[in-house]
Amino acid sequence: MEIIDAHTHIYPTKIALKAVQAIGDFYNIDMDLNGTSENLINQEDGDKISYFLVHSVATTMHQVHVINEFLLEELKKHPNFIGFCTLHPDLTEEEIEKEVKWATLNGFLGVKLHPDFQKFYLDEERAERIYRVLEKYNLPLLLHMGDKRYQFSEPIRLSKMAKKYTKLNFIAAHFGGYSVWDKVDVLKDLNNVYFDTSSSLEYLDKERAKELIKTFGAHRFFYGSDYPMWNEKEELKRFFSIDLTKEEQEMILAKNLKKFLNIK
């Protein structure tokens, strides 16, 4: 059964441990992996993954192109990497379009944003500058979603934007809302909203996970580990513990993303 990991973070070796520690502190999680490309590939059960969707988050506008250039170098080194570039809401719309144009010319297939790290609300004008450009370039947007401590990425905010930007495909990470899974039903009938399974299965009841997949449709889900927060071995074990059909497993593990991103 083919497996694609649709949610991984990578960092340059010289800052990787510091970045991983900061993430662990933010979520109060012990981090065992070091956040480098080599560690991602060589982790236990990493050899079972045919493609890794990699990205990294710019916490200031000045980091955007530096991070994207780092990601591009990693894409060149690793043919099994799929790249989503970063943007920042403090960029002007013209700067956003310039970066997106560069990214598409260099083979990036989407964009990843983290509203909680980047401190913006999903339904504010700064975010809409990004949505307008991505809709124009037909690039999907992967969003960190949810956190009961904050209001930046509440599911209701994405619901409003998905209804406004109907030509833009959104991927709502973490089953649509990390730690606020009781609020994700507002995303149910939005055909331009997809989901990944990352950073959820450790906390989400198996029956609730199955219910969300059945309710939203297995065709709208992608498997993701959220490396370096979790490793492939434990995350795959959690995924296979959900009572899904083999067809649903195959769809979520690879077929959906290959169709979504037109990967052969």
Side-chain angles (χ1 to χ4, degrees), residues 87-92 96 113 118-120 126-127 129-130:
L87 294 170
H88 195 280
D90 286 344
L91 295 171
T92 66
I96 292 166
L113 299 176
Q118 296 175 305
K119 304 301 180 188
F120 72 93
R126 290 189 303 154
R129 290 200 293 259
I130 295 174

Side-chain angles (χ1 to χ4, degrees), residues 2-264:
E2 184 178 14
I3 304 172
I4 299 175
D5 190 336
H7 195 128
T8 70
H9 305 260
I10 56 172
Y11 308 96
T13 301
K14 64 181 180 180
I15 67 163
L17 286 176
K18 183 178 179 181
V20 169
Q21 183 60 53
I23 295 170
D25 291 344
F26 187 84
Y27 289 108
N28 193 29
I29 295 173
D30 292 330
M31 307 284 276
D32 297 325
L33 301 164
N34 70 21
T36 64
S37 296
E38 289 68 28
N39 186 229
L40 170 64
I41 295 168
N42 294 322
Q43 65 179 299
E44 191 172 3
D45 283 359
D47 59 342
K48 295 180 179 179
I49 312 301
S50 58
Y51 292 98
F52 297 92
L53 197 164
V54 299
H55 43 72
S56 193
V57 177
T59 55
T60 72
M61 60 183 285
H62 305 293
Q63 295 175 338
V64 168
H65 195 66
V66 173
I67 289 174
N68 288 336
E69 286 188 319
F70 158 71
L71 290 171
L72 179 58
E73 288 304 308
E74 296 305 303
L75 295 182
K76 291 176 179 177
K77 293 177 189 175
H78 304 286
N80 62 334
F81 279 9
I82 301 164
F84 272 30
C85 71
T86 189
L87 294 170
H88 195 280
D90 286 344
L91 295 171
T92 66
E93 196 156 337
E94 291 74 20
E95 290 169 331
I96 292 166
E97 181 158 5
K98 180 181 178 182
E99 193 68 19
V100 167
K101 185 176 182 180
W102 174 89
T104 56
L105 289 173
N106 282 285
F108 287 88
L109 298 184
V111 174
K112 164 68 188 299
L113 299 176
H114 196 307
D116 295 352
F117 285 176
Q118 296 175 305
K119 304 301 180 188
F120 72 93
Y121 295 97
L122 286 178
D123 53 355
E124 66 172 279
E125 170 56 25
R126 290 189 303 154
E128 292 195 59
R129 290 200 293 259
I130 295 174
Y131 305 155
R132 287 192 290 268
V133 173
L134 296 187
E135 198 171 50
K136 177 179 178 181
Y137 282 80
N138 194 32
L139 278 185
L141 175 59
L142 170 59
L143 290 165
H144 164 87
M145 287 296 300
D147 193 317
K148 61 185 178 183
R149 300 171 297 176
Y150 307 103
Q151 288 77 50
F152 295 111
S153 56
E154 292 176 313
I156 189 64
R157 297 183 188 276
L158 177 57
S159 175
K160 289 164 55 181
M161 293 297 95
K163 291 173 183 176
K164 183 173 182 179
Y165 296 94
T166 57
K167 295 180 181 178
L168 175 58
N169 284 323
F170 297 88
I171 305 172
H174 322 312
F175 274 82
Y178 169 76
S179 75
V180 292
W181 295 289
D182 57 326
K183 297 181 179 181
V184 301
D185 288 342
V186 296
L187 304 173
K188 181 174 64 173
D189 297 320
L190 300 172
N191 293 329
N192 58 332
V193 177
Y194 296 77
F195 306 89
D196 76 31
T197 66
S198 66
S199 281
S200 300
L201 301 179
E202 169 72 1
Y203 312 107
L204 194 58
D205 179 85
K206 293 176 186 177
E207 287 304 311
R208 177 59 172 159
K210 178 181 177 180
E211 178 189 13
L212 288 172
I213 291 170
K214 297 288 187 180
T215 299
F216 292 169
H219 65 287
R220 296 169 66 188
F221 277 84
F222 312 127
Y223 164 77
S225 70
D226 213 357
Y227 169 94
M229 292 187 70
W230 314 105
N231 64 55
E232 297 294 357
K233 183 176 182 179
E234 62 189 8
E235 202 60 23
L236 285 169
K237 182 178 180 181
R238 293 181 188 119
F239 175 78
F240 283 113
S241 73
I242 305 171
D243 182 22
L244 299 174
T245 67
K246 182 179 179 182
E247 181 183 10
E248 289 168 332
Q249 290 174 345
E250 291 176 341
M251 290 167 63
I252 296 169
L253 287 171
K255 288 183 178 180
N256 290 342
L257 191 70
K258 292 181 82 170
K259 181 179 179 181
F260 183 76
L261 295 178
N262 194 28
I263 299 170
K264 302 303 182 183

